[in-house]
Amino acid sequence: MKIFTKMYDACLRWARHQYAVYILGFISFIESIFFPIPTAVMLAPMALAKPNRALWLAFVATVTSVLGGVVAYVIGAVAFESWVLPWIVELGYEETYKRALDWFAEYGVWVVLVAGFSPVPYKMFTLTAGALGMAFVPFLIASIIARSAQFFLIGGLVKWGGEQMEHKLRQYVEWIGWGVLILGVLAYVIYNIAN
């Protein structure tokens, strides 16, 4: 049964939809505030579907993600105690929030740079940055650098690999999908054992 191949093909079909760029922008925006699915999940297949537009798509994802980060910063600054914290508790993200606080205390603005580039939940750091009253300009600069680095890396790789990359990726998508899933489960287990 080829689960990941079917998912990959479905993503490519969605990526070719006439409103796909708007959907990418919307997902990228809300992902910076609350949405659990990373922007890269939509960006990668869209760029693969249209490699000649990969860098434009990376630009759209960057701009909308940073705008979403700004909105999250404002929400964190004005409604953290009344709205965001109860939501964090309800969804069971207290540990992630406490870790974010520790990282902010230790690394300051650099944590936004890391969270914006890595798979770490960027939304937790945008909301927390606002709640902690982090200086806005360094927050904005770190967000722009990190989000553009992540999205332009994806877009650049797809543009460089072009159509051949799409065919190769489709050929190995099952192996990649199961490998990522297994690594994710292992990381979760190791993290829980360590803590």
Side-chain angles (χ1 to χ4, degrees):
M1 186 155 94
K2 295 189 173 188
I3 296 171
F4 293 101
T5 304
K6 288 179 182 177
M7 289 170 58
Y8 175 75
D9 290 341
C11 282
L12 285 178
R13 278 194 306 278
W14 297 332
R16 289 184 176 102
H17 191 276
Q18 65 177 350
Y19 297 116
V21 174
Y22 299 107
I23 295 168
L24 172 67
F26 179 71
I27 287 174
S28 184
F29 181 81
I30 63 172
E31 187 262 336
S32 296
I33 305 168
F34 68 89
F35 197 61
I37 299 172
T39 301
V41 171
M42 183 72 175
L43 175 61
M46 281 186 69
L48 283 168
K50 297 180 180 180
N52 60 327
R53 298 195 65 200
L55 296 180
W56 166 249
L57 296 171
F59 176 76
V60 169
T62 299
V63 169
T64 53
S65 180
V66 171
L67 288 174
V70 168
V71 169
Y73 178 96
V74 171
I75 290 170
V78 299
F80 192 83
E81 293 292 326
S82 61
W83 186 69
V84 178
L85 192 56
W87 175 70
I88 287 172
V89 170
E90 174 129 356
L91 294 175
Y93 286 122
E94 296 103 327
E95 287 303 314
T96 306
Y97 171 64
K98 288 175 188 170
R99 198 171 327 116
L101 287 175
D102 292 342
W103 288 357
F104 266 111
E106 191 169 340
Y107 304 111
V109 72
W110 296 105
V111 76
V112 176
L113 202 61
V114 171
F117 182 74
S118 69
V120 173
Y122 176 62
K123 66 194 81 25
M124 189 62 70
F125 293 93
T126 58
L127 293 163
T128 306
L132 294 175
M134 178 184 192
F136 180 73
V137 172
F139 165 81
L140 183 62
I141 292 169
S143 293
I144 291 168
I145 292 169
R147 298 315 262 176
S148 61
Q150 181 186 42
F151 300 143
F152 278 96
L153 177 65
I154 293 168
L157 285 173
V158 170
K159 186 164 181 65
W160 171 72
E163 212 171 292
Q164 291 177 336
M165 181 179 265
E166 180 185 347
H167 297 303
K168 277 288 183 199
L169 188 58
R170 189 176 194 292
Q171 182 180 353
Y172 295 108
V173 75
E174 285 299 320
W175 287 98
I176 295 167
W178 287 110
V180 168
L181 185 64
I182 289 167
L183 287 173
V185 169
L186 283 174
Y188 178 78
V189 169
I190 291 169
Y191 175 78
N192 283 328
I193 289 172
N195 292 322

